[in-house]
Amino acid sequence: DTCRNFHCKRGKVCHTDKQGKPHCVCQDPAACPPTKDYEHVCGTDNKTYDGTCQLFGTKCQLEGTKMGRQLHLDYMGSCKYIPPCTDYEVDQFPLRMRDWLKNILIQYYERDLNTSGILTEKQRNKVKKIYQNDKRLVAGDHPVELLLHDFEKNYHMYVYPVHWQFHQLDQHPVDRLLTHSELAPLRASLVPMEHCITRFFQECDGDQDKLIALKEWCHCFGIKE
């Protein structure tokens, strides 16, 4: 089977021509495998798709059109009303996000104490310093004032988590720039809970080139140069 090791990008599938040569064609959305309700996704066209296969197959069929360029995965789950993000809320967003990233790394570290695998040794050594710091703010739903105070007092604890998340997303390719597709795994899972994330990332892109550079990312999270 010439298609076995032939890679096609999302939204495309491999087919062999009459000569037996493999090539990529658009996935027929109607031919996507059935999905459960919890696998539904919402596109940026505010339409619910049965899954990512259907969404990216549709995007592929619209290739070269304005609709195709604008269609992306917005968030996981069926489309629903997402309230607009106020100026006050978008200002508070980095406080919660920094705290969340720090606590995710600590969770990974605690899990790795028993079975290694999630973090590399170098990453574990970095997180260990945060984990062992007795001044660390423990996970919880903290008021904005406390998050702000903790960031100012224990700034050094938040630098690595912000850098770590950027490099986790910067994969295709690794170029110190985040595209819409690279941001999608983080955005898509958080939009239903954090309705400000879309506006936050739009405003992070200071030069409006549709890419978020490491410098722009750090600036958005209040990390000094």
Side-chain angles (χ1 to χ4, degrees):
D1 181 3
T2 53
C3 272
R4 183 173 291 171
N5 296 314
F6 195 78
H7 179 72
C8 294
K9 69 175 189 175
R10 290 185 91 168
K12 296 196 173 190
V13 288
C14 179
H15 275 274
T16 49
D17 58 22
K18 288 175 184 173
Q19 286 76 41
K21 283 187 178 176
H23 59 107
C24 296
V25 297
C26 285
Q27 164 76 51
D28 175 8
C32 287
T35 56
K36 304 277 194 302
D37 284 353
Y38 61 79
E39 294 173 301
H40 289 179
V41 295
C42 185
T44 44
D45 56 355
N46 205 33
K47 283 185 187 168
T48 297
Y49 292 85
D50 284 349
T52 51
C53 171
Q54 196 181 84
L55 170 69
F56 288 107
T58 304
K59 179 176 171 64
C60 182
Q61 291 189 333
L62 293 168
E63 211 167 298
T65 67
K66 187 180 177 185
M67 279 177 72
R69 283 191 297 275
Q70 290 177 342
L71 180 58
H72 297 284
L73 169 64
D74 198 4
Y75 52 90
M76 310 306 284
S78 300
C79 294
K80 62 179 185 178
Y81 173 69
I82 303 285
C85 175
T86 65
D87 292 349
Y88 174 77
E89 286 174 320
V90 84
D91 286 346
Q92 310 311 321
F93 180 82
L95 299 175
R96 292 195 308 278
M97 189 74 177
R98 283 189 306 242
D99 189 54
W100 182 70
L101 291 174
K102 181 193 73 183
N103 285 313
I104 276 191
L105 275 175
I106 285 165
Q107 276 181 16
Y108 286 169
Y109 178 80
E110 287 175 329
R111 226 179 285 173
D112 277 7
L113 288 173
N114 303 319
T115 53
S116 62
I118 301 174
L119 301 173
T120 65
E121 192 176 346
K122 188 177 175 186
Q123 289 171 334
R124 274 199 298 277
N125 289 336
K126 295 252 189 190
V127 182
K128 186 179 182 179
K129 291 172 186 167
I130 302 171
Y131 178 76
Q132 292 180 334
N133 194 317
D134 57 356
K135 295 190 181 113
R136 172 169 62 84
L137 195 62
V138 294
D141 192 13
H142 302 298
V144 164
E145 295 75 23
L146 182 57
L147 291 174
L148 190 58
H149 174 71
D150 193 61
F151 179 63
E152 288 168 355
K153 200 174 91 181
N154 298 307
Y155 168 81
H156 61 284
M157 283 194 213
Y158 293 92
V159 177
Y160 182 68
V162 170
H163 281 188
W164 169 81
Q165 180 63 86
F166 183 92
H167 293 295
Q168 288 293 108
L169 297 169
D170 182 24
Q171 299 291 336
H172 310 288
V174 178
D175 57 1
R176 295 166 76 91
L177 295 167
L178 296 183
T179 62
H180 190 286
S181 300
E182 287 175 314
L183 278 169
L186 180 66
R187 271 194 64 261
S189 57
L190 287 183
V191 167
M193 296 171 284
E194 283 286 1
H195 67 283
C196 281
I197 196 165
T198 300
R199 181 177 163 186
F200 175 73
F201 285 140
Q202 283 169 349
E203 293 183 9
C204 257
D205 181 15
D207 55 10
Q208 296 294 298
D209 64 350
K210 298 210 163 35
L211 298 167
I212 297 181
L214 179 59
K215 195 172 178 180
E216 289 174 319
W217 174 273
C218 289
H219 176 72
C220 281
F221 283 103
I223 304 299
K224 299 165 196 149
E225 285 189 40

